[in-house]
């Protein structure tokens, strides 16, 4: 099972446990924390400086080191008291997105924000962690912000060094001194690494192997790490919920989120997998989170089609049969998977049909027997088929089209009840706005519905009165009709609901 949480302003707010238990209280708490942080009172107190907080831009405490690798005051995101302490998150996000600003302040903001998040994970024993960032540049920048982070013991450093040297021995002497290799080796000795498409293949494989063995405590990676790499971890952190898909920025789809979040939790080691959504500026809304966490992923459908040329080519190969090809297709996999349920439904239907057949034929008020009723149904179906054929032939005639002028009264067949109803031809859709405006001014008309492209005889009505219906009368012609429809028991439920 997974536990999903929002990370905002140094705290974790659980929003979902298991597969379906959504915790709205966690979302509300995160939103309340954001309101308290951005409220005018908090901002005024933070800008007031070194009064009671004693950490304003001009105070001595602002310049005094804190022992955590960064100084208070301007280097922590613009100065202020404790109310502005996590404001470095905004600067950190802007810096990773290529924003401007003072370089020293931005570097301190990066270091402070990342160390704050990783320190929280380390304190709660939530390492190793895979932090998904949706940009190679942002991934490298976030890893560089942790240049002073060291999370491995002396024994782990030795093991990583020996393993990396064995891997690099396969390269030429000059290739071992590449800047990317030297930079990544230094990171891995400290328990930090990156994984994206810009790495050399041998270094990507090295990172994956060390991460699976537990020597990499924090891994900054892109979405490709969740595709085809079996590397579970204790915690998964989402640096953001928006990505660039080649055309523009968009929110993650539920299937993409599930794919990456599924890396959280190691079988036999972790009771639950922890998934954290980092909110640097503002926590996501409840509706957005529900759609992301509980939405259904995209279903895959097979596009396999058996053609004549494919059959002829397979007949030329003795070891391959057409039946074997069909059994190996993705479509057949879905068919076999759904077979038990369909077989059960078929058996239930056959049992119900046998039960009906075992009962005696009920008495008819007209005195007709079963054979006469069957013949009547067959004749009715034949009449309907002939009517459809005749209708298609008439609608292909120019003479019939010339008769369908505005104002002509016709009989229109209702698609649900198959009953004919009076209708008036209103004309083509180019005059729809004028017709609707005129119709709304007429009193006593029950309602007007939108037109839909249907075959002639299709209609949509309201509970009483009249309705406007669009019907196709040709390959490129669409007419509007005013139909006098009376509701009846044969109307579909959707029509009754819309009428009510």
């Amino acid at each position: 099972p997974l536990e999903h949480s929002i990370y905002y302003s140094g705290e974790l707010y659980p929003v979902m446990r298991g597969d379906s238990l959504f915790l709205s209280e966690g979302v509300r708490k995160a939103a309340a924390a954001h309101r308290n942080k951005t409220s005018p009172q908090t901002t005024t107190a933070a800008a007031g400086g070194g009064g009671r907080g004693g950490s304003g831009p001009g105070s001595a405490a602002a310049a005094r080191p804190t022992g955590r690798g960064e100084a208070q005051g301007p280097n922590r995101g613009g100065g202020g008291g404790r109310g502005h302490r996590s404001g470095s998150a905004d600067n950190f996000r802007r810096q990773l997105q290529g924003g401007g600003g003072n370089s020293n302040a931005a570097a301190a903001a990066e270091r402070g924000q990342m160390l704050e998040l990783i320190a929280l994970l380390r304190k709660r024993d939530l390492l190793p962690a895979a932090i998904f960032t949706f940009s190679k540049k942002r991934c490298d920048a976030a890893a560089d912000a942790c240049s002073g982070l060291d999370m491995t013991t002396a024994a782990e450093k030795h093991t990583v060094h020996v393993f990396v040297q064995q891997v690099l021995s396969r390269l030429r002497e000059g290739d071992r001194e590449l800047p990317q290799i030297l930079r990544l080796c230094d990171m891995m000795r400290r328990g930090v690494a990156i994984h994206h498409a810009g790495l050399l293949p041998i270094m990507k494989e090295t990172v994956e192997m060390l991460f699976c063995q537990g020597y990499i405590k924090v891994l900054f990676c892109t979405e490709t790490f969740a595709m085809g790499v079996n590397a579970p971890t204790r915690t998964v952190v989402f640096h953001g919920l928006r990505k660039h898909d080649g055309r523009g920025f968009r929110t993650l789809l539920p299937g993409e989120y599930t794919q990456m979040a599924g890396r959280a939790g190691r079988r036999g080691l972790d009771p639950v997998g922890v998934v954290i959504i980092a909110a640097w500026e503002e926590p996501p809304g409840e509706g957005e989170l529900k759609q992301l966490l509980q939405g259904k992923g995209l279903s895959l459908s097979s596009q396999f089609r058996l053609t004549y040329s494919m059959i002829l080519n397979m007949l030329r190969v003795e070891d391959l049969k057409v039946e074997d090809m069909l059994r190996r297709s993705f479509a057949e996999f879905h068919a076999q998977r759904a077979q038990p349920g369909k077989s059960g439904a078929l058996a239930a239907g056959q049992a119900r049909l046998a039960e009906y057949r075992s009962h005696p034929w009920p008495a008819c008020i007209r005195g007709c027997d079963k054979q006469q009723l069957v013949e009547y149904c067959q004749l009715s179906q034949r009449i309907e088929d002939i009517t459809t054929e005749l209708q298609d032939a008439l609608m292909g005639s120019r003479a019939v089209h010339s008769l369908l002028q505005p104002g002509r009264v016709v009989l229109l067949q209702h698609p649900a009840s198959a009953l004919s109803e009076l209708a008036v031809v209103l004309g083509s859709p180019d005059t729809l706005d004028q017709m609707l405006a005129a119709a709304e001014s007429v009193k006593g008309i029950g309602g007007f519905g939108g037109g839909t492209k249907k075959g002639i005889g299709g209609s949509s009505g309201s509970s009483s009165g009249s309705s406007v219906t669009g019907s196709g009368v040709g390959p490129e012609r669409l007419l509007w009709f005013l139909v006098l429809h009376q509701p009846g028991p044969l109307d579909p439920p959707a029509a009754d609901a819309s009428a009510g």
Side-chain angles (χ1 to χ4, degrees):
L2 298 179
E3 180 179 301
H4 305 261
S5 302
I6 297 176
Y7 172 79
Y8 179 74
S9 190
E11 295 293 338
L12 289 179
Y13 302 92
V15 295
M16 186 171 175
R17 289 193 179 97
D19 296 332
S20 59
L21 182 58
F22 189 84
L23 306 176
S24 302
E25 184 66 22
V27 182
R28 289 193 288 268
K29 287 182 178 180
H34 175 67
R35 288 193 298 269
N36 294 335
K37 175 186 173 183
T38 57
S39 62
Q41 294 83 358
T42 306
T43 306
T44 303
R52 297 184 60 182
S55 59
S59 64
R64 186 166 56 245
T66 63
R68 293 185 297 174
E70 72 272 0
Q72 297 286 346
N75 288 346
R76 285 191 58 83
R82 292 182 62 86
H84 215 70
R85 192 173 155 167
S86 61
S88 58
D90 300 341
N91 295 334
F92 172 67
R93 185 180 180 87
R94 296 191 194 99
Q95 176 67 14
L96 293 186
Q97 291 178 344
N102 186 283
S103 58
N104 294 332
E110 289 182 27
R111 182 170 60 253
Q113 181 65 17
M114 266 300 146
L115 289 178
E116 185 179 1
L117 173 59
I118 296 173
L120 178 64
L121 298 178
R122 195 173 186 178
K123 178 181 178 181
R124 301 194 180 188
D125 194 22
L126 296 179
L127 295 179
I131 303 178
F132 283 99
T133 58
F134 303 106
S135 167
K136 291 187 292 184
K137 179 180 178 181
R138 186 178 299 176
C139 187
D140 292 332
D144 291 338
C146 303
S147 57
L149 190 64
D150 191 350
M151 294 181 295
T152 56
T153 62
E156 290 174 336
K157 285 183 174 61
H158 175 72
T159 304
V160 171
H161 175 75
V162 172
F163 181 78
V164 171
Q165 292 303 317
Q166 290 178 351
V167 172
L168 296 181
S169 63
R170 301 166 56 187
L171 301 178
R172 293 181 299 179
E173 187 69 26
D175 294 339
R176 302 175 193 173
E177 304 298 326
L178 291 175
Q180 182 188 105
I181 294 180
L182 296 178
R183 172 171 169 262
L184 195 55
C185 289
D186 177 67
M187 287 183 181
M188 290 188 293
R189 278 193 294 268
R190 294 184 285 106
V192 182
I194 57 176
H195 187 285
H196 55 68
L199 295 182
L200 296 172
I202 189 172
M203 298 309 297
K204 279 202 295 186
E205 187 175 356
T206 303
V207 170
E208 294 167 4
M209 296 176 69
L210 289 176
F211 185 78
C212 292
Q213 296 175 12
Y215 294 106
I216 303 298
K217 312 299 181 183
V218 177
L219 177 65
F220 297 94
C221 54
T222 55
E223 189 178 2
T224 56
F225 184 72
M227 307 294 179
V229 180
N230 184 18
T233 180
R234 177 74 172 92
T235 304
V236 166
V237 179
F238 286 87
H239 187 275
L241 296 180
R242 294 180 62 81
K243 60 174 286 188
H244 194 279
D245 60 358
R247 292 174 294 181
F249 286 94
R250 61 168 175 82
T251 305
L252 291 179
L253 299 175
E256 296 172 337
Y257 178 86
T258 303
Q259 178 73 25
M260 288 179 277
R263 290 291 177 263
R266 298 165 295 181
R267 186 184 300 274
L269 297 177
D270 306 320
V272 294
V274 179
V275 182
I276 298 174
I277 301 172
W280 307 114
E281 295 180 354
E282 181 180 359
E286 183 175 348
E288 180 182 358
L289 283 177
K290 279 188 176 181
Q291 174 63 24
L292 190 66
L293 293 151
Q294 298 180 331
K296 294 183 179 180
L298 297 176
S299 59
L300 299 178
S301 58
S302 174
Q303 300 298 318
F304 176 76
R305 298 293 182 270
L306 191 63
T307 61
Y308 293 111
S309 59
M310 185 184 301
I311 295 175
L312 292 176
N313 290 331
M314 285 188 293
L315 290 176
R316 298 172 59 184
V317 181
E318 297 181 358
D319 297 336
L320 185 61
K321 296 182 179 180
V322 179
E323 294 81 0
D324 296 336
M325 178 66 70
L326 291 175
R327 278 194 293 267
R328 296 175 185 176
S329 67
F330 189 60
E332 183 64 19
F333 167 77
H334 279 294
Q336 294 293 336
R337 189 175 182 179
Q339 183 177 0
K342 293 182 178 179
S343 300
L346 177 62
Q350 290 176 344
R352 192 174 180 182
L353 181 61
E355 182 183 358
Y356 288 152
R357 288 176 176 173
S358 63
H359 294 166
W361 185 257
C364 178
I365 59 175
R366 295 291 184 180
C368 56
D369 56 10
K370 179 181 177 180
Q371 182 63 28
Q372 292 175 333
L373 185 61
V374 171
E375 293 178 357
Y376 173 79
C377 292
Q378 292 176 350
L379 289 175
S380 299
Q381 183 63 40
R382 180 57 180 163
I383 292 174
E384 184 176 350
D385 294 341
I386 295 176
T387 303
T388 302
E389 295 177 3
L390 181 61
Q391 215 168 46
D392 294 340
L394 289 175
M395 288 302 101
S397 172
R398 290 179 175 269
V400 174
H401 283 202
S402 62
L403 296 176
L404 295 177
Q405 299 299 328
R408 180 174 292 275
V409 179
V410 295
L411 289 177
L412 203 63
Q413 188 179 22
H414 195 279
S417 63
L419 299 177
S420 298
E421 300 172 328
L422 284 176
V424 178
V425 180
L426 298 181
S428 56
D430 54 359
T431 58
L432 177 60
D433 295 336
Q434 293 84 344
M435 290 187 295
L436 292 179
E440 289 177 356
S441 63
V442 178
K443 296 182 180 180
I445 295 182
F448 287 86
T452 56
K453 291 185 179 181
K454 303 177 181 178
I456 188 70
S459 65
S460 62
S462 58
S463 60
S464 62
S466 305
S467 64
V468 174
T469 298
S471 298
V473 295
E476 296 181 358
R477 192 180 181 193
L478 185 70
L479 290 179
W480 289 88
F481 298 88
L482 183 63
V483 184
L484 181 63
H485 173 64
Q486 295 295 334
L490 296 180
D491 287 346
D496 295 341
S498 62

